[in-house]
């Protein structure tokens, strides 16, 4: 297993829809093991294959539920069903999120409170995850990566402008930029 470089906003793989996985083989198993290691090293609660430069519909996740039960898994070729988000402005204290591909920043973003994700796991078995709250946010965030959408693409106008200023200041927004957890210091 290896910690992989995480692509930064502007890399083409982050801004294009990912392809379905056609076969679960040794290459996919190694990729997923590396994704877990990278997610843990970052540290993050989710990681999509495009974030490590692989345009496939795979994401890993790791979180603790309301009963302090740890949940960790992978979803291959996911489908997402969600309740519509409640209209209005997001609460910056309760609805902020960050992204390993726009590292070091957090912005408020309104998301659906409940989602159902279906797909398959590493063994090819069907997976169904029905979650709400923070866990639903994780699933939506990672699913967006598979469609070539970064969370900053969904921000309100003022926060979007701020994100663009940060990107210009850090010289992001161009192909080929990445950072490696445990190696690179990305403090602004």
């Amino acid at each position: 297993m290896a910690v992989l470089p995480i692509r930064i906003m502007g890399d083409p793989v982050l801004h294009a829809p990912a392809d379905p996985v056609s076969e679960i083989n040794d290459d996919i198993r190694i990729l997923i093991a590396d994704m877990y290691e990278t997610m843990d090293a970052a540290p993050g609660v989710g990681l999509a294959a495009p974030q490590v430069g692989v345009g496939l519909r795979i994401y890993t996740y790791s979180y603790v539920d309301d009963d302090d039960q740890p949940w960790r898994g992978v979803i291959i070729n996911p489908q997402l069903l969600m309740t519509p988000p409640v209209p209005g402005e997001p609460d910056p204290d309760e609805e902020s999120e960050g992204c390993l591909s726009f590292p070091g920043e957090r912005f408020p973003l309104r998301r659906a409170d409940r989602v159902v994700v279906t797909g398959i796991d590493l063994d090819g078995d069907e997976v169904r995850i029905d979650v709400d709250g923070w866990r639903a946010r994780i699933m939506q965030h990672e699913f967006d990566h598979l469609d070539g959408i970064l969370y900053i693409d969904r921000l309100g106008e003022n926060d979007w402008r701020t994100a663009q200023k940060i990107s210009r200041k850090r010289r992001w927004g161009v192909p080929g930029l990445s950072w490696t957890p445990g190696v690179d210091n990305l403090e602004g």
Side-chain angles (χ1 to χ4, degrees):
M1 294 192 309
V3 173
L4 303 173
I6 298 174
R7 304 297 173 96
I8 293 176
M9 172 225 172
D11 195 289
V13 72
L14 294 173
H15 304 284
D19 295 324
V21 174
S22 57
E23 175 187 8
I24 299 173
N25 55 31
D26 286 343
D27 289 339
I28 295 297
R29 286 182 187 88
I30 291 168
L31 170 63
I32 291 170
D34 290 346
M35 287 174 63
Y36 279 126
E37 189 163 336
T38 304
M39 178 180 65
D40 292 344
V45 294
L47 185 70
Q51 292 182 274
V52 294
V54 179
L56 291 174
R57 297 189 75 79
I58 301 170
Y59 68 80
T60 57
Y61 61 89
S62 180
Y63 60 82
V64 176
D65 70 14
D66 295 336
D67 298 321
D68 291 325
Q69 175 71 33
W71 291 90
R72 186 173 175 86
V74 62
I75 301 179
I76 300 168
N77 297 334
Q79 297 291 319
L80 176 74
L81 300 171
M82 62 184 174
T83 60
V86 175
E89 292 297 316
D91 179 336
D93 295 325
E94 299 292 324
E95 297 178 284
S96 287
E97 62 188 74
C99 181
L100 298 175
S101 291
F102 198 85
E105 302 298 328
R106 294 185 65 78
F107 290 98
L109 178 63
R110 178 69 41 103
R111 295 271 193 186
D113 189 53
R114 178 170 216 87
V115 300
V116 175
V117 181
T118 59
I120 58 174
D121 65 15
L122 194 51
D123 296 321
D125 296 328
E126 290 185 16
V127 173
R128 182 177 191 277
I129 299 172
D130 185 342
V131 291
D132 61 7
W134 176 245
R135 296 168 303 278
R137 178 175 297 278
I138 294 167
M139 297 298 156
Q140 292 169 81
H141 182 108
E142 299 311 325
F143 188 86
D144 272 355
H145 277 298
L146 305 182
D147 286 340
I149 299 168
L150 297 180
Y151 90 108
I152 59 169
D153 298 331
R154 295 191 181 277
L155 296 176
E157 187 174 340
N158 289 337
D159 288 331
W160 184 85
R161 284 186 186 144
T162 300
Q164 296 309 306
K165 287 178 186 175
I166 291 167
S167 175
R168 283 191 301 275
K169 179 181 176 184
R170 295 184 181 164
R171 297 190 176 108
W172 293 348
V174 296
L177 298 179
S178 65
W179 69 282
T180 304
V183 174
D184 296 315
N185 178 2
L186 291 178
E187 292 183 13

